[in-house]
Amino acid sequence: FARSTTMAFSSSWLALVGLVVLAGGVRAVSGGAKVGMMYEGWHASAFWGRSAAAREDGLSVEMVVRSNGTRKLAELTPNASGSGFRWHTMPLDGGPYCIYRRRANETLSTCGLPDCPNITATLARHARMLVDAGVSFVVADSTNFYMQGGMADCLQLRPFEVLAEEWLKLRKAGIPTPQIAIWQTLQHSDGNLWEAYLDPAPGNQAAYSNPEYDQLIFKDDHTGKKVFFATSDPDANIVAAIEKRGFAVVVMWALRILKYSSGEWTFMSPCTSSTDGSFTTTVYTDESMPCNQKLTTNSVIGQHGTSMTVGPSYQLSYSSLPFRAAGKLGGLTLRKQFETAFASNHAGSLDYLMVGTFNEHIAQPQHNPFNPPNPAVFDMGLENDPDRAGLYVDMYGNGFTRDLEPTAEDGGALWNVFKSCMRVFATQAPACTNTSEPCCDRADPLLLWNNVWSLTYGNGDDFLLTNMKLERDTDVKRGWKELCAPLGGASAFCKPAATQPLHARGRKAQQNGTSGPESLAVAVPAQAEYVKGPFVIHAAPLPDAQSRPVYRCLLPSGKHRVSLDPGCNGGKQEFVLGHASTTRSTETARTLRTCRPAAQPATSYHTLDSPCLGSDTLLEVLGYVH
């Protein structure tokens, strides 16, 4: 995915990756793999370009979704210096930040932006948090640009230099920090941004070659080499030039399922289907259904050449569309991914654990290739927002983000879970069994979810929702039709026929045909079928009346309906389908409604993020679902 269509970025899909090895008395994980984390420094344009609502009210994309229509995306439209970036979440401590500043020998900014405020305090806070969590190294994102220039300097090169300057000062003062590495686009033979990290120039620190930064740059213990990360399919001549300087070049990308065994690291790693091994956004509450994200083998660094990636979410394409991203699921995704990592670390052959991401926070809306013609394809939860058609790739609000830095939207809850999982990881335990650790909590209702399959019979003669796979399988054999996840992605549900390419603009991982057995080409269903598809719902009631039970009913007519009425409107209650959230968020963004069709008034159907179709009658608004 390209993060921007408005900037002269690389064609690669970008996201920041971080790895860190601790040195000079820094506390590291006590046993097993070393832990790195993705780190972003690209916020300068977004910081100075914030809209008035973002500056004054702390408005974010997440808060727009939660407002349920009272606030609009247009209020987040940045000014001219904002490069189209919108803040999806707001950092909790100190609010929005950036880390660009001019070099000591510069009187004017290379890109026209002012120096960022409070840089020293921001980076000291980040170092303290990361070290306390046991993170050994961070990798700074430099993947959007490949040529030197003003915006590349302000969003990538200079933030890396400032990070190095500030953390070197902390180390000289006896304060531990993670080590740092760079992640750079090397696909273009004419690219020259990579040289700025290696070769001294007036005012350029060239940290990789500067002896002063020798202990700060991430170095692989096994090879003794400093590590330079590259995006997919780097230019062979550039790789050779970097290796000639004595550095190890590690390729890192995502969604290239055939590349794990050839040493390619990933900045995010989806769960895989237990049936065909394909990537999936289905994450099961059931402990017998592991995530099973892939293990990288044959890496050029590490004793065993291995790495594995965990994170709070991941995406297959557009995060703001149904089932194209896993979502945080109340922390379930992070816990399930750590389960796989615990077992691998216990075996003693895991060299590195990657965690992503610390602090992306911002994203630009991307072109929507499906709307038109299908007006139902828009950002989940924004059914009444005039700007809902623009799609988001790397994150969508608080519910679909790979970030772990505490935000105003999550209050730091997931960061605390992450620290707990890191403590368990450090023990090299094979599984999370320490009941005193939040990471091992499986009883929290926020972690309990039901998949809900959508079926129809005949020509709309009856509609049925079920949370039981066996019932789904049985009814399909009896002639019921399953309505698929409209854009594929979730292996729990069927997927549409493969006819229309589904990938975000510039997505190299799919363009080169190595994304794996799951075809990400789908025929988007017509609007009437798109809005009646499957969903995921809380399996248990949430505290403080944050949810309400949804009952499946059998009506006297023999037809089915879902309702909030335990008496089933005069019908027979069959069971509780799940518990719908009473408030909207990106975690449970889609409105669940029931409708009576004018042509068949004895039946009813549900819609997701859609009013009833045509002249059909609204029966109930049941709440909000994932």
Side-chain angles (χ1 to χ4, degrees), residues 209-253:
S209 304
N210 189 333
E212 186 177 14
Y213 293 90
D214 189 63
Q215 296 302 310
L216 182 62
I217 299 300
F218 168 49
K219 185 181 295 183
D220 172 51
D221 289 343
H222 180 65
T223 62
K225 294 180 178 181
K226 296 175 183 176
V227 181
F228 194 106
F229 289 90
T231 56
S232 60
D233 306 318
D235 180 82
N237 292 327
I238 297 178
V239 171
I242 296 173
E243 290 178 338
K244 187 176 181 180
R245 289 166 165 83
F247 306 125
V249 177
V250 174
V251 174
M252 180 159 56
W253 203 236

Side-chain angles (χ1 to χ4, degrees), residues 27-33 134 422-423 425-428:
R27 182 177 69 82
V29 171
S30 60
M422 288 287 286
R423 290 191 293 268
F425 186 81
T427 69
Q428 291 189 266

Side-chain angles (χ1 to χ4, degrees), residues 177-453:
T177 78
Q179 288 185 313
I180 64 175
I182 195 66
W183 186 33
Q184 174 65 57
T185 297
L186 301 180
Q187 293 171 327
H188 305 269
S189 60
D190 60 341
N192 63 6
L193 182 57
W194 64 273
E195 296 173 347
Y197 299 100
L198 306 181
D199 299 327
N204 174 18
Q205 63 178 224
Y208 270 75
S209 304
N210 189 333
E212 186 177 14
Y213 293 90
D214 189 63
Q215 296 302 310
L216 182 62
I217 299 300
F218 168 49
K219 185 181 295 183
D220 172 51
D221 289 343
H222 180 65
T223 62
K225 294 180 178 181
K226 296 175 183 176
V227 181
F228 194 106
F229 289 90
T231 56
S232 60
D233 306 318
D235 180 82
N237 292 327
I238 297 178
V239 171
I242 296 173
E243 290 178 338
K244 187 176 181 180
R245 289 166 165 83
F247 306 125
V249 177
V250 174
V251 174
M252 180 159 56
W253 203 236
L255 303 184
R256 309 208 312 168
I257 204 166
L258 303 180
K259 295 291 187 177
Y260 284 83
S261 60
S262 60
E264 185 165 298
W265 289 38
T266 61
F267 63 88
M268 65 173 187
S269 193
C271 297
T272 57
S273 167
S274 60
T275 56
D276 64 4
S278 64
F279 292 138
T280 178
T281 59
T282 296
V283 181
Y284 289 96
T285 295
D286 187 344
E287 293 189 38
S288 69
M289 300 290 288
C291 174
N292 276 345
Q293 71 268 32
K294 304 286 286 185
L295 173 73
T296 290
T297 57
N298 299 305
S299 172
V300 298
I301 63 172
Q303 180 181 357
H304 306 94
T306 56
S307 73
M308 181 175 286
T309 302
V310 301
S313 183
Y314 54 84
Q315 75 270 9
L316 301 183
S317 60
Y318 299 100
S319 289
S320 57
L321 292 181
F323 301 117
R324 298 311 302 169
K328 291 161 69 171
L329 293 171
L332 177 64
T333 302
L334 182 67
R335 287 171 168 91
K336 296 289 280 193
Q337 293 219 317
F338 258 109
E339 283 179 5
T340 309
F342 292 149
S344 185
N345 194 39
H346 175 72
S349 58
L350 182 63
D351 294 319
Y352 292 105
L353 179 73
M354 282 295 302
V355 184
T357 307
F358 183 65
N359 61 335
E360 188 147 4
H361 297 308
I362 59 175
Q364 299 160 307
Q366 304 292 312
H367 169 70
N368 187 333
F370 313 111
N371 181 0
N374 189 335
V377 184
F378 54 76
D379 295 325
M380 294 180 292
L382 293 178
E383 54 187 298
N384 296 312
D385 196 296
D387 296 326
R388 63 186 179 273
L391 304 179
Y392 296 94
V393 178
D394 284 281
M395 68 184 306
Y396 182 52
N398 179 63
F400 294 88
T401 174
R402 302 189 307 272
D403 287 355
L404 283 165
E405 182 180 19
T407 63
E409 291 81 1
D410 85 339
L414 205 55
W415 180 254
N416 291 329
V417 172
F418 167 66
K419 290 195 297 181
S420 171
C421 292
M422 288 287 286
R423 290 191 293 268
V424 176
F425 186 81
T427 69
Q428 291 189 266
C432 203
T433 57
N434 185 345
T435 56
S436 67
E437 288 289 1
C439 183
C440 306
D441 182 3
R442 291 295 182 272
D444 185 345
L446 290 173
L447 306 176
L448 307 178
W449 298 86
N450 284 338
N451 293 319
V452 177
W453 289 270

Side-chain angles (χ1 to χ4, degrees), residues 365-621:
Q366 304 292 312
H367 169 70
N368 187 333
F370 313 111
N371 181 0
N374 189 335
V377 184
F378 54 76
D379 295 325
M380 294 180 292
L382 293 178
E383 54 187 298
N384 296 312
D385 196 296
D387 296 326
R388 63 186 179 273
L391 304 179
Y392 296 94
V393 178
D394 284 281
M395 68 184 306
Y396 182 52
N398 179 63
F400 294 88
T401 174
R402 302 189 307 272
D403 287 355
L404 283 165
E405 182 180 19
T407 63
E409 291 81 1
D410 85 339
L414 205 55
W415 180 254
N416 291 329
V417 172
F418 167 66
K419 290 195 297 181
S420 171
C421 292
M422 288 287 286
R423 290 191 293 268
V424 176
F425 186 81
T427 69
Q428 291 189 266
C432 203
T433 57
N434 185 345
T435 56
S436 67
E437 288 289 1
C439 183
C440 306
D441 182 3
R442 291 295 182 272
D444 185 345
L446 290 173
L447 306 176
L448 307 178
W449 298 86
N450 284 338
N451 293 319
V452 177
W453 289 270
S454 176
L455 301 105
T456 181
Y457 192 80
N459 187 27
D461 299 325
D462 197 4
F463 292 89
L464 178 72
L465 294 175
T466 181
N467 58 20
M468 294 178 285
K469 182 178 182 299
L470 179 60
E471 183 179 34
R472 183 275 300 246
D473 295 343
T474 301
D475 283 352
V476 168
K477 292 178 181 178
R478 293 171 53 205
W480 289 73
K481 175 188 175 183
E482 180 185 354
L483 301 183
C484 298
L487 301 170
S491 59
F493 311 114
C494 64
K495 61 183 177 183
T499 59
Q500 179 175 340
L502 172 61
H503 56 257
R505 179 176 298 181
R507 182 173 173 181
K508 187 74 171 179
Q510 290 179 12
Q511 290 171 345
N512 63 19
T514 57
S515 56
E518 183 211 24
S519 172
L520 296 183
V522 299
V524 180
Q527 181 180 7
E529 188 168 316
Y530 185 96
V531 301
K532 298 175 185 176
F535 54 91
V536 177
I537 192 171
H538 288 291
L542 302 184
D544 304 321
Q546 296 178 74
S547 66
R548 51 196 173 200
V550 175
Y551 303 97
R552 198 181 84 175
C553 307
L554 183 64
L555 301 178
S557 64
K559 310 296 184 181
H560 293 88
R561 176 178 170 179
V562 289
S563 176
L564 297 175
D565 177 17
C568 283
N569 311 101
K572 175 186 176 182
Q573 182 193 130
E574 294 188 308
F575 55 84
V576 176
L577 189 70
H579 298 262
S581 298
T582 55
T583 57
R584 195 196 298 269
S585 68
T586 51
E587 189 92 284
T588 50
R590 299 191 287 169
T591 310
L592 178 63
R593 297 177 173 90
T594 54
C595 305
R596 175 183 293 120
Q600 293 178 299
T603 65
S604 67
Y605 63 87
H606 76 284
T607 66
L608 297 163
D609 258 1
S610 171
C612 298
L613 301 175
S615 59
D616 296 348
T617 303
L618 174 67
L619 297 175
E620 289 180 276
V621 177

